Amino acid sequence: MPYTDTEYALLEQPDGAIAKAIRTLNPPVLIHLGDFKQGRLSCSDELFLDHYRQIAQLNPHRVVYTPGDNEWVDCDRFTFSARYDELERLNFLRQLFFHRDHHQLTKDIPGLKRQEGFIENARWESNQVVFATLHVPGTNNGRMEILRSNLQDALDEADYRDQSNEQWLRQLFIAAESASALVIAFHADIFNFNHKKPACTIENRTNCDGYRKLRDLIKNQVAQFGKPVLVIHGDSQAYCLHQPYTSIPNLWRLNAPGDYKHIDASQVVFDPKNKNTPFTASGVLDRKPAPAICSYSIFGSSRHSPSLFPRTQLS
């Protein structure tokens, strides 16, 4: 989000409804899950700079952004302007949001750390809850439709991203040993994928499930962790909060609002006293709780909006 001019207006200061709601809540942290533009819109420097500005102004100095596929992986597809080399766009995105970061998106988030050698991954802690972002784009984790970049270079980047995410995830669970809960946020829906395909390997880098290794690692680590874990993502299906695996009852999944079906941002709260439902999510505009069923049919008419962690319960 935003995908349309209407959604852009909702996020724009000072009068956008979602922007106003975030300003009123004054959350300690806002997480944007990527896809800050429609896939067919231009991937130009000018558009990136404008959306960076908008995201930065939603919750100044307390915004954590993790990239989606629309702003780099898919920039080599047909757009209303030029096609781009996706790796060149990834480099520009990293420079804009992380290396230069003139708006200092995360300056007022205490203790936030970046992964060495993979700057887009972040980790921080607030009120006994540890948070982390992973760079996990859609389009099979950047392994499909490589149309402009050198194929070998793009797949090498995907392999390096997988290795970095695995390392960051393992470090995360170690860092959270004394925490009450854990929250992991990234862009892609790693749960809604072709689970019949094998995991990607050096020998098979494209005809594979680009999320299998990450999904299995999360499941195994969460089961061993034993305490509440919330995974937040965008990229597919409908807005919902549920437990995806009956065999792992401490794992919760929030598919954030967006994708033209439900235009909103989510306010997420962690209650350590509530053993049955430790995480709750509600819209900042409609104030309704997130559905427990992932189905478009429950909505009348939006995907990839921010997820919001307000007040002192969760950041």
Side-chain angles (χ1 to χ4, degrees):
M1 187 178 187
Y3 274 169
T4 65
D5 290 344
T6 298
E7 293 173 8
Y8 181 93
L10 289 171
L11 296 178
E12 189 69 359
Q13 300 284 0
D15 298 322
I18 292 178
K20 282 183 176 180
I22 293 171
R23 188 166 64 245
T24 299
L25 287 167
N26 191 28
V29 175
L30 173 78
I31 301 177
H32 192 290
L33 298 172
D35 271 16
F36 57 62
K37 72 174 196 70
Q38 185 189 87
R40 288 186 172 232
L41 286 181
S42 169
C43 289
S44 68
D45 290 3
E46 292 76 16
L47 185 141
F48 279 32
L49 286 163
D50 182 54
H51 285 264
Y52 167 68
R53 171 203 58 80
Q54 184 180 71
I55 290 170
Q57 291 178 354
L58 286 171
N59 195 44
H61 308 306
R62 293 174 296 171
V63 177
V64 179
Y65 161 79
T66 186
D69 47 72
N70 280 8
E71 51 263 42
W72 75 272
V73 174
D74 298 339
C75 286
D76 53 3
R77 296 179 181 178
F78 170 78
T79 68
F80 293 127
S81 60
R83 294 184 179 185
Y84 292 79
D85 181 315
E86 64 183 64
L87 295 182
E88 184 277 329
R89 287 293 81 188
L90 174 59
N91 181 62
F92 182 78
L93 197 69
R94 283 174 171 156
Q95 292 297 321
L96 180 62
F97 276 87
F98 305 110
H99 288 292
R100 296 171 187 163
D101 189 17
H102 296 308
H103 286 290
Q104 297 183 291
L105 270 66
T106 63
K107 181 172 71 73
D108 292 343
I109 303 175
L112 184 139
K113 299 179 177 63
R114 295 278 177 189
Q115 184 177 15
E116 184 177 355
F118 203 69
I119 195 170
E120 52 265 49
N121 284 356
R123 184 176 76 233
W124 68 101
E125 182 175 354
S126 179
N127 298 308
Q128 286 296 300
V129 180
V130 173
F131 301 83
T133 56
L134 299 172
H135 182 179
V136 187
T139 316
N140 197 24
N141 204 357
R143 294 178 178 273
M144 288 174 57
E145 298 185 21
I146 301 168
L147 306 176
R148 287 296 176 100
S149 298
N150 176 277
L151 180 62
Q152 182 73 30
D153 291 344
L155 293 176
D156 287 348
E157 177 68 37
D159 288 342
Y160 180 68
R161 185 168 57 255
D162 286 345
Q163 294 165 11
S164 299
N165 285 333
E166 178 181 349
Q167 180 185 53
W168 195 237
L169 195 63
R170 291 187 185 279
Q171 293 175 5
L172 171 64
F173 279 91
I174 294 172
E177 285 179 350
S178 61
S180 298
L182 182 58
V183 176
I184 308 168
F186 44 78
H187 173 71
D189 184 353
I190 67 172
F191 302 99
N192 181 36
F193 203 71
N194 185 355
H195 292 199
K196 295 180 180 180
K197 287 192 174 183
C200 298
T201 64
I202 297 299
E203 293 75 26
N204 179 10
R205 306 173 84 187
T206 56
N207 186 26
C208 53
D209 180 346
Y211 308 114
R212 179 179 287 275
K213 288 182 180 178
L214 179 63
R215 185 172 60 248
D216 289 348
L217 181 59
I218 288 176
K219 290 164 64 177
N220 292 335
Q221 292 287 324
V222 170
Q224 294 177 35
F225 186 62
K227 289 175 280 191
V229 177
L230 174 65
V231 170
I232 305 175
H233 69 83
D235 203 37
S236 73
Q237 294 191 10
Y239 173 43
C240 60
L241 173 64
H242 71 144
Q243 294 162 284
Y245 303 107
T246 56
S247 60
I248 313 176
N250 61 314
L251 176 61
W252 295 78
R253 168 203 184 204
L254 172 62
N255 197 345
D259 204 16
Y260 309 109
K261 292 292 181 180
H262 189 70
I263 303 172
D264 209 338
S266 294
Q267 178 184 7
V268 181
V269 175
F270 171 68
D271 181 359
K273 297 179 181 179
N274 190 332
K275 302 303 180 183
N276 294 323
T277 312
F279 299 103
T280 58
S282 56
V284 302
L285 296 181
D286 66 15
R287 306 310 305 164
K288 295 179 180 179
I293 299 175
C294 300
S295 172
Y296 280 138
S297 63
I298 63 175
F299 297 114
S301 65
S302 162
R303 159 109 261 129
H304 320 315
S305 76
S307 287
L308 180 62
F309 300 90
R311 303 183 183 145
T312 58
Q313 294 97 328
L314 192 64
S315 81

